[in-house]
Amino acid sequence: DAGVIQSPRHEVTEMGQEVTLRCKPISGHDYLFWYRQTMMRGLELLIYFNNNVPIDDSGMPEDRFSAKMPNASFSTLKIQPSEPRDSAVYFCASTKTGRNQPQHFGDGTRLSIL
Amino acid sequence: DAKTTQPPSMDCAEGRAANLPCNHSTISGNEYVYWYRQIHSQGPQYIIHGLKNNETNEMASLIITEDRKSSTLILPHATLRDTAVYYCIAVGTDKLIFGTGTRLQVFP
């Protein structure tokens, strides 16, 4: 079975540019999560969706960040405008309904803002 | 979700059992104990989870104390590929809140 697929794997861009990260969850999973990992703050939950609807976006750092899930098989995380402090590894994860269901993570997107 | 406490680092000789402790003294009755690990630069990988009973799968065993205030993840025969950061998380909602985990170093 295909796992969670994230693209691109690496992104290097200049400050002020728009960045779009993409995620394809595992088929049949109805929850999708976006995380960010930095050395200073570790793994942080940014936002999560259930059945394509955002449930909790309290972890989104500021208005420059936005996330959408237009359908069950695709989600995007956008940063506009990007800043050097946004440099991090961004992970997407998906799972089925239920606390007894583990989350499955993608390989992440390593983002560097110059 | 309850807070968990783990030692920052541990060492283990290859081929020996690695026993990783986790304290979750404020865990509530409906919270599961989940273990994930993260091998350098990869996404976190699910290992095992449990509620009350001990659990075993092909990767590891999970021992939960009777009062549920602590647990131990056991990797029965550690290999060099088990070198990673191991996270213990108490899960009562949809969200995973990652702490700083235990950095396990397996040496030859």
Side-chain angles (χ1 to χ4, degrees):
Chain A
D1 288 341
V4 175
I5 299 172
Q6 292 187 246
S7 63
R9 291 296 312 278
H10 299 90
E11 174 91 12
V12 180
T13 192
E14 292 189 347
M15 175 179 172
Q17 297 297 307
E18 178 179 288
V19 173
T20 299
L21 310 181
R22 296 173 175 79
C23 176
K24 177 180 170 56
I26 293 173
S27 177
H29 284 191
D30 50 1
Y31 279 85
L32 184 139
F33 303 80
W34 281 101
Y35 294 84
R36 177 173 69 174
Q37 187 170 32
T38 61
M39 289 292 292
M40 291 295 294
R41 300 175 66 89
L43 262 166
E44 305 174 277
L45 176 65
L46 299 178
I47 185 171
Y48 75 96
F49 296 81
N50 178 221
N51 292 322
N52 313 336
V53 176
I55 302 300
D56 184 347
D57 64 355
S58 59
M60 295 285 264
E62 48 197 276
D63 291 346
R64 297 185 297 106
F65 285 68
S66 63
K68 293 182 180 179
M69 192 164 185
N71 57 62
S73 59
F74 183 65
S75 177
T76 60
L77 178 67
K78 283 190 179 181
I79 309 173
Q80 169 63 21
S82 58
E83 297 182 3
R85 60 192 167 120
D86 302 330
S87 297
V89 182
Y90 291 81
F91 291 104
C92 177
S94 70
T95 188
K96 300 178 185 178
T97 295
R99 285 181 297 116
N100 199 25
Q101 299 294 330
Q103 291 186 20
H104 298 264
F105 286 75
D107 291 331
T109 294
R110 184 172 296 275
L111 177 64
S112 296
I113 309 296
L114 305 177
Chain B
D1 294 346
K3 179 179 169 58
T4 62
T5 304
Q6 299 177 252
S9 64
M10 295 182 64
D11 289 339
C12 179
E14 189 176 21
R16 304 298 294 267
N19 297 288
L20 290 86
C22 180
N23 185 292
H24 32 79
S25 58
T26 60
I27 197 169
S28 62
N30 66 344
E31 289 182 305
Y32 284 80
V33 178
Y34 271 79
W35 284 83
Y36 286 79
R37 73 180 181 183
Q38 188 173 24
I39 298 170
H40 179 62
S41 78
Q42 297 180 17
Q45 176 190 25
Y46 165 77
I47 302 173
I48 198 168
H49 73 281
L51 185 62
K52 296 180 183 177
N53 300 322
N54 298 337
E55 302 288 344
T56 295
N57 63 21
E58 64 279 3
M59 289 183 69
S61 294
L62 174 61
I63 308 298
I64 302 174
T65 58
E66 194 169 339
D67 62 8
R68 301 209 330 120
K69 292 185 177 182
S70 65
S71 61
T72 301
L73 178 74
I74 301 172
L75 308 178
H77 306 287
T79 71
L80 298 179
R81 287 174 295 185
D82 292 321
T83 292
V85 178
Y86 288 76
Y87 297 97
C88 168
I89 307 170
V91 180
T93 63
D94 302 323
K95 304 193 290 189
L96 293 180
I97 308 300
F98 285 85
T100 53
T102 295
R103 183 171 298 276
L104 175 68
Q105 179 69 52
V106 181
F107 57 92

